[in-house]
Amino acid sequence: MSDDMDIKDKAAWDAAERVADYEHGWSSDIETDFAPKGLTEDTVRFISAKKNEPEWMLEWRLKAFASWKTMTPPDWAKLNVPPIDYQDAYYYAEPKAKPKLGSLDEVDPEILRIYEKLGIPIAEQKLLAGVEGGEDGGLPQPRVAVDAVFDSVSVATTFRAELERAGVIFRSISEAIKEYPELVKKWLGKIVPMHDNYFATLNCAVFSDGTFVYIPEGVRCPMELSTYFRINAENTGQFERTLIIADKGSYVSYLEGCTAPMRDENQLHAAVVELVALDDAEIKYSTVQNWYPGDAEGKGGIYNFVTKRALCQGRNSKVSWTQVETGSAVTWKYPSCVLNGENSVGEFYSVAVTNNYQQADTGTKMIHNGKGSRSTIVSKGISAGHSNNTYRGLVRVAPNAEGVRNFTQCDSLLLGSLSGAHTVPYIEVRNPSAQIEHEATTSKISDDQMFYAMARGLNTEEAVTLIVNGFAKEVLQQLPMEFAVEAQKLLGISLEGSVG
Amino acid sequence: MLQITNLHANVGDKPILKGLTLSLNAGEIHAIMGPNGAGKSTLGYVLSGRPGYEVTEGEVTFNGQNLLDLEPHERAAAGCFLGFQYPVEIPGVSNVQFLREALNAQRKNRNEAPLSGAEFLKVAREQATALGMDMDMLKRPVNVGFSGGEKKRNEMVQMGIINPALAILDETDSGLDIDALRIVGDGINRIMRRPDKAVLLITHYQRLLDYVKPDFVHVLADGRITRSGGPELALELERDGYKELAA
Ligand SMILES: Nc1ncnc2c1ncn2[C@@H]1O[C@H](COP(=O)(O)OP(=O)(O)OP(=O)(O)O)[C@@H](O)[C@H]1O
Ligand SMILES: [Mg+2]
C-alpha cells in the first residue's frame, strides 16, 4: 500500500515526521498539521488551540481528559481486542494541502474499485475523493447535502444556502462551537454524559471534528443530510463528534456513510453521536459503516468503538436508527434511545456483517421512562469465515412508565461452519403493564438456495448477495432509496470469498 | 443440440448414473420416464452442474461445447434451464427481483445489454398472464408460501421469462390440478415447441404427454436408458408398468 500512498498522504506523513522530531515547544506551534504522537494534556490543548476554541470548550476537554486517565476500557463485550497503546497514535491530522486532485486517476485504485462496485456515480466519486470540479457536477438528484470529513476536518459543504433559507443549521461541530455556543453548550454531553464510558470520555477530550445539525421548530428539513467519513492518514485516531437537535415538530433524515482505504496498522475510531428530539419531532439516522475490516488473515483493520444515543425528550417524539455495519475489525456499538417523552417512539434496525476474523458486538438499548412509549428492534446478524457476531440489547421499563410496548426480533444467518452468532438480550421490566415480545432465529444459507439461484444464472457471489439481501430486507427497506442500493451491494462485497 | 455419451456420475460416493447415452436435436421433445430413485433428477442436476454431483466418466456436449466444463451460471447463460422437481424458497427476495437479476446476469455473461426495469416488467407481465399467474404473486418472495402447484407454475413463468434453448423439466406436472396441467402444457408448447429449441421432459404420467406430444420417449432405470421409442411407449408403460418392461 505504501507504494501508492497518494500525494496528500505523503505530505501529511512528512509533516508528522518533522513534528515528531521537534521535541520542545510544539504545542504553541499551531502552524503544524499534525499533533505529535501520543496523548497528554498538551495534545488536548493543541487540538483546542488548532481549532481556535473558546476557553469553556478547552476546559471541558481537559476535564474529560483528567477523568479518562482514571478510567479503564469496558470488558463485558464478546470481543477479543489486543491492548491498545494510546501513546502510539496521532490524535490530530489536518489535511492542509487539501486533496485537490486533478482527476480520478490520482485516487487510490482500491478506493475506486470499491466505489465502482458500489455503483457510485462518477460525479459523486469525484466529490468523495476530492477531485477538482467534482462538486459542480455532483448530485443533481437525489438531493443530498454532503458534509465530507477528510481525516479530521470538514472540507466540503454543499447546499448550505438552501438549508439556511429553511433555517436549518448544518455545520461542522467546530464551526458550531464558535457560531452557536449557547445551543452547543445546552446539549453537548447531555445525551451521552462526559463520563458515560471510556471511549466516550476519550472522545470528549480529543474529538477532532464532526457535524452539528439544528432543525428549528416546525421545519421539515428540505433534503437528506449526509456525511461521508474517511480515514486517510496512517496512525490517526478518528474522534468524530455529532450533535443533532430536532426542535418541536421538526423532521430530519441524516445519512452517515464511510469508506476507508486499506491500511495495515490498526486504527482507533471512537465517535460519539448525540441526538435530541423535542415534542413531536422526528429524527431518522441511517448509517452505512464500511471501514477497513482487516485482511483475510485478520491483520489490520479499524477498531470502532462508538457511542450513539438519542434522547426522545418530547411527547410523541421519534428516533429511528438504521445501521448497516459491514466494516471494521472490531465493532463495539449500541445506538440507543432514552424514551423520556410520553408516547415517544424508538426504533433500531440493524444489519451487521462479519467475515474472515472480524468481530462485532452491537445492538441497542431502549430505555422506557415515558408513559406509552414504544420501541421496535430488528437485528440481522450475518457471520462468515472465522468471525464472531453478537447482538446485545437492553429493554428497560421504568416503574412509572405505564403502557410500554417493545417488539424485538433477532435473526442470525451463518455462512460456513467456523463463524459464531450470539444473541444476548437483557430485559428489565419494573412496570407490570408493559408488553414485551422477543423473537430470535438462527439459520444457514442452504445448498438448495445457492444452487437454485445459480441454475438461474447467478454466480456464487451474486447468489450469496441475493440471499443475504433477502435475509436483511426488513432493515434495508428502512434506508433512504439512494442509500439502500449502495448498502445492498456492500453486503455482497463484504462477503466476497466467504462461500464456494 | 445435446449429446450425452456414456455418462457416469456419483452422488457422494454412490454411483447413480451408470453409462447413460442420449441425444437431443433442435426441434425435439424427449420424455424421460422411470421408476422412483432411478436417477432422473440426478441427470437434471448433473446437466446443470450442481455441486456434489460428480461426473466420473463420459461426455456431454451442448451445441458443440463441452457442457461439463462450465459453471452452473454459465450453463444457464448458454441456454440451459432446469425446472426443479422441488422449487426452492428464497425469503425476502421477490420473484421480480430474482428473475431480473438472473436474466441480466445471463445477458451480461453473453455480452448483451441489461434489460431496464420497464423492459423486464413488460416481459414478466406477458409471461405471468399467459400462465394465469397474478402479478401480485410475482412481487411476493420466491416460492415462499406458494402451494405445490403454484411453485410449478412459477417455474414455467421463469422459463418463459428466461426463454432458454434447452429446458430440462423435472416432474413439472406433479402437484398440478387439472386446469393448471393444461395451462402448463400449453405454456411448454408455446415457449419451447420451436425448431431451434429442445426439451427433456421428466414425468411419471401420460397425462402431461396428452398436452405436450413427445417425439421420443425413454425409460431411465438404474442409471441408464434401458429403452427408447415413440409416444406409444408411454402408453405401453402406463398400461403395463416398469416391471413388465424389465421382464
Ligand atoms: N445426497 C445423496 N446421497 C446419497 N444418495 C442420494 C443423494 N441424492 C440422491 N441420492 C440417491 O440417488 C438415487 C437417484 O435419485 P433421483 O432423485 O435422481 O431419483 P429420481 O429418478 O428423480 O426419482 P423420483 O422419481 O422419485 O423423483 C436415489 O436412490 C437417491 O436416494
Ligand atoms: Mg426426481
Side-chain angles (χ1 to χ4, degrees):
Chain A
M1 213 57 219
S2 60
D3 285 343
D4 35 72
M5 186 191 278
D6 65 28
I7 307 152
K8 182 190 65 74
D9 270 10
K10 182 112 179 47
W13 188 252
D14 291 343
E17 298 276 10
R18 278 198 307 277
V19 176
D21 288 340
Y22 186 52
E23 281 182 19
H24 302 290
W26 55 267
S27 62
S28 60
D29 179 9
I30 56 167
E31 289 311 304
T32 55
D33 298 339
F34 254 78
K37 224 178 210 182
L39 181 51
T40 64
E41 200 175 291
D42 281 342
T43 321
V44 177
R45 288 180 188 280
F46 176 90
I47 294 168
S48 189
K50 258 324 262 192
K51 302 189 147 297
N52 265 321
E53 284 179 353
E55 190 61 24
W56 63 267
M57 197 65 241
L58 173 63
E59 275 163 25
W60 196 78
R61 285 177 181 274
L62 289 173
K63 194 172 152 203
F65 180 69
S67 309
W68 179 75
K69 283 192 293 186
T70 68
M71 296 168 81
T72 49
D75 59 0
W76 40 261
K78 193 172 168 49
L79 297 172
N80 187 358
V81 187
I84 297 165
D85 183 355
Y86 290 90
Q87 300 305 332
D88 191 34
Y90 293 96
Y91 288 83
Y92 186 80
E94 181 179 6
K96 253 287 171 55
K98 275 197 228 156
K100 283 258 160 65
L101 308 177
S103 78
L104 281 176
D105 297 343
E106 296 168 41
V107 178
D108 186 336
E110 176 59 22
I111 295 179
L112 284 187
R113 188 186 76 89
I114 291 172
Y115 284 173
E116 206 174 290
K117 274 209 136 180
L118 290 171
I120 297 175
I122 294 290
E124 198 178 339
Q125 287 189 22
K126 287 186 175 175
L127 186 69
L128 289 173
V131 172
E132 294 251 36
E135 211 166 310
D136 324 318
L139 307 174
Q141 54 168 279
R143 293 176 28 90
V144 180
V146 178
D147 177 20
V149 177
F150 277 84
D151 283 352
S152 314
V153 178
S154 297
V155 291
T157 308
T158 50
F159 290 103
R160 194 176 263 203
E162 187 173 345
L163 290 172
E164 234 135 70
R165 269 199 299 281
V168 172
I169 304 170
F170 181 37
R171 288 281 190 282
S172 75
I173 193 110
S174 318
E175 289 172 306
I177 288 166
K178 278 169 264 175
E179 293 174 37
Y180 305 95
E182 294 316 311
L183 260 181
V184 174
K185 265 193 228 173
K186 184 168 175 191
W187 292 109
L188 190 76
K190 296 301 189 312
I191 301 132
V192 177
M194 181 186 278
H195 304 106
D196 189 79
N197 68 73
Y198 187 79
F199 300 109
T201 309
L202 176 63
N203 176 287
C204 290
V206 300
F207 72 85
S208 35
D209 213 331
T211 305
F212 175 83
V213 176
Y214 172 76
I215 315 289
E217 191 169 334
V219 169
R220 202 182 157 82
C221 186
M223 63 191 73
E224 313 265 3
L225 301 180
S226 161
T227 299
Y228 281 88
F229 292 101
R230 283 178 57 202
I231 294 179
N232 258 346
E234 266 180 72
N235 254 345
T236 306
Q238 287 284 301
F239 305 96
E240 307 295 340
R241 183 109 203 166
T242 299
L243 174 59
I244 300 178
I245 303 159
D247 213 326
K248 290 178 185 166
S250 68
Y251 170 85
V252 63
S253 168
Y254 185 85
L255 317 180
E256 174 201 298
C258 325
T259 52
M262 305 264 282
R263 290 295 170 215
D264 260 345
E265 279 177 74
N266 291 312
Q267 292 184 309
L268 177 64
H269 183 93
V272 171
V273 175
E274 297 180 287
L275 312 183
V276 56
L278 302 181
D279 287 355
D280 303 303
E282 179 175 348
I283 302 174
K284 194 171 162 52
Y285 193 105
S286 313
T287 305
V288 172
Q289 186 270 118
N290 182 28
W291 300 106
Y292 178 50
D295 67 15
E297 275 74 53
K299 189 163 172 288
I302 305 294
Y303 290 179
N304 198 22
F305 299 96
V306 188
T307 307
K308 288 184 168 176
R309 195 170 304 153
L311 195 58
C312 289
Q313 187 64 12
R315 50 189 353 206
N316 306 321
S317 58
K318 176 176 176 183
V319 168
S320 183
W321 298 102
T322 303
Q323 61 173 25
V324 176
E325 300 282 321
T326 60
S328 297
V330 171
T331 300
W332 179 97
K333 180 179 176 188
Y334 316 89
S336 302
C337 296
V338 179
L339 300 160
N340 285 346
E342 201 175 314
N343 295 326
S344 58
V345 176
E347 294 177 340
F348 175 73
Y349 296 95
S350 169
V351 179
V353 178
T354 52
N355 194 4
N356 299 318
Y357 287 87
Q358 280 177 278
Q359 308 175 65
D361 193 300
T362 184
T364 186
K365 288 187 264 186
M366 293 291 174
I367 310 296
H368 291 265
N369 297 325
K371 288 197 175 67
S373 55
R374 302 188 303 280
S375 62
T376 302
I377 299 171
V378 178
S379 162
K380 304 274 180 175
I382 300 152
S383 348
H386 294 78
S387 70
N388 260 304
N389 203 324
T390 301
Y391 167 81
R392 185 182 305 276
L394 167 67
V395 177
R396 175 183 290 158
V397 180
N400 44 16
E402 296 293 328
V404 163
R405 278 186 302 172
N406 161 265
F407 172 74
T408 300
Q409 186 185 328
C410 294
D411 298 321
S412 305
L413 186 69
L414 296 167
L415 280 75
S417 55
L418 302 171
S419 58
H422 318 274
T423 301
V424 191
Y426 304 88
I427 299 173
E428 297 173 15
V429 178
R430 298 206 179 79
N431 184 305
S433 69
Q435 290 177 38
I436 311 288
E437 276 179 78
H438 182 98
E439 290 174 9
T441 66
T442 301
S443 53
K444 282 192 158 202
I445 290 191
S446 74
D447 295 346
D448 282 344
Q449 286 174 328
M450 284 297 293
F451 179 62
Y452 192 60
M454 295 195 299
R456 292 291 174 263
L458 300 176
N459 65 28
T460 311
E461 241 168 73
E462 291 162 340
V464 170
T465 304
L466 183 89
I467 295 165
V468 164
N469 273 296
F471 170 76
K473 186 179 165 217
E474 281 164 275
V475 174
L476 295 174
Q477 68 190 8
Q478 296 294 328
L479 291 171
M481 257 314 272
E482 58 270 32
F483 230 34
V485 177
E486 208 172 296
Q488 285 178 17
K489 292 181 184 152
L490 197 54
L491 292 189
I493 294 171
S494 314
L495 291 167
E496 269 179 11
S498 62
V499 168
Chain B
M1 174 181 271
L2 183 71
Q3 192 81 44
I4 307 171
T5 315
N6 189 31
L7 185 64
H8 291 252
N10 288 0
V11 184
D13 290 335
K14 190 176 164 193
I16 308 288
L17 300 182
K18 303 166 185 172
L20 187 145
T21 297
L22 186 65
S23 174
L24 273 76
N25 294 314
E28 294 177 352
I29 292 183
H30 292 236
I32 293 203
M33 306 181 80
N36 295 134
K40 301 182 298 297
S41 294
T42 302
L43 175 62
Y45 288 147
V46 169
L47 294 177
S48 312
R50 178 162 191 153
Y53 289 70
E54 191 202 350
V55 174
T56 51
E57 207 183 321
E59 278 177 22
V60 181
T61 60
F62 176 63
N63 289 331
Q65 199 176 9
N66 180 358
L67 191 68
L68 301 177
D69 271 356
L70 303 180
E71 297 284 315
H73 69 278
E74 294 167 334
R75 300 184 196 198
C80 294
F81 177 87
L82 175 64
F84 282 63
Q85 183 175 359
Y86 303 108
V88 180
E89 301 184 1
I90 309 182
V93 179
S94 75
N95 279 297
V96 170
Q97 184 194 356
F98 179 58
L99 285 168
R100 185 170 168 215
E101 286 194 21
L103 186 60
N104 280 338
Q106 289 194 19
R107 293 178 69 94
K108 189 171 156 204
N109 217 295
R110 297 191 293 257
N111 291 316
E112 297 167 7
L115 285 191
S116 72
E119 289 167 324
F120 173 79
L121 277 178
K122 186 166 171 286
V123 177
R125 193 168 284 124
E126 280 167 13
Q127 293 302 328
T129 310
L131 283 149
M133 194 161 110
D134 216 34
M135 266 316 270
D136 283 349
M137 276 187 79
L138 267 190
K139 289 176 192 155
R140 277 168 52 184
V142 179
N143 293 320
V144 177
F146 285 28
S147 75
E150 286 168 346
K151 285 181 181 171
K152 294 303 180 65
R153 199 188 289 221
N154 191 25
E155 291 292 286
M156 292 303 97
V157 174
Q158 296 191 16
M159 181 173 79
I161 292 169
I162 287 170
N163 196 20
L166 170 70
I168 303 154
L169 304 181
D170 194 354
E171 296 196 27
T172 298
D173 53 337
S174 59
L176 294 177
D177 68 37
I178 294 160
D179 293 339
L181 186 68
R182 182 177 43 77
I183 293 169
V184 164
D186 290 348
I188 297 173
N189 288 328
R190 178 177 54 83
I191 300 161
M192 298 303 295
R193 192 40 119 173
R194 288 167 187 268
D196 55 342
K197 295 189 173 196
V199 178
L200 199 58
L201 199 62
I202 298 170
T203 183
H204 286 297
Y205 306 107
Q206 170 61 34
R207 53 182 195 193
L208 178 64
L209 304 181
D210 290 340
Y211 294 106
V212 185
K213 298 264 182 308
D215 302 294
F216 300 93
V217 174
H218 310 275
V219 176
L220 197 169
D222 194 23
R224 61 184 83 103
I225 303 293
T226 54
R227 206 174 146 189
S228 298
E232 71 289 346
L233 179 55
L235 294 168
E236 188 185 322
L237 291 169
E238 182 113 312
R239 197 179 60 234
D240 300 338
Y242 298 111
K243 281 239 167 60
E244 196 66 21
L245 189 81

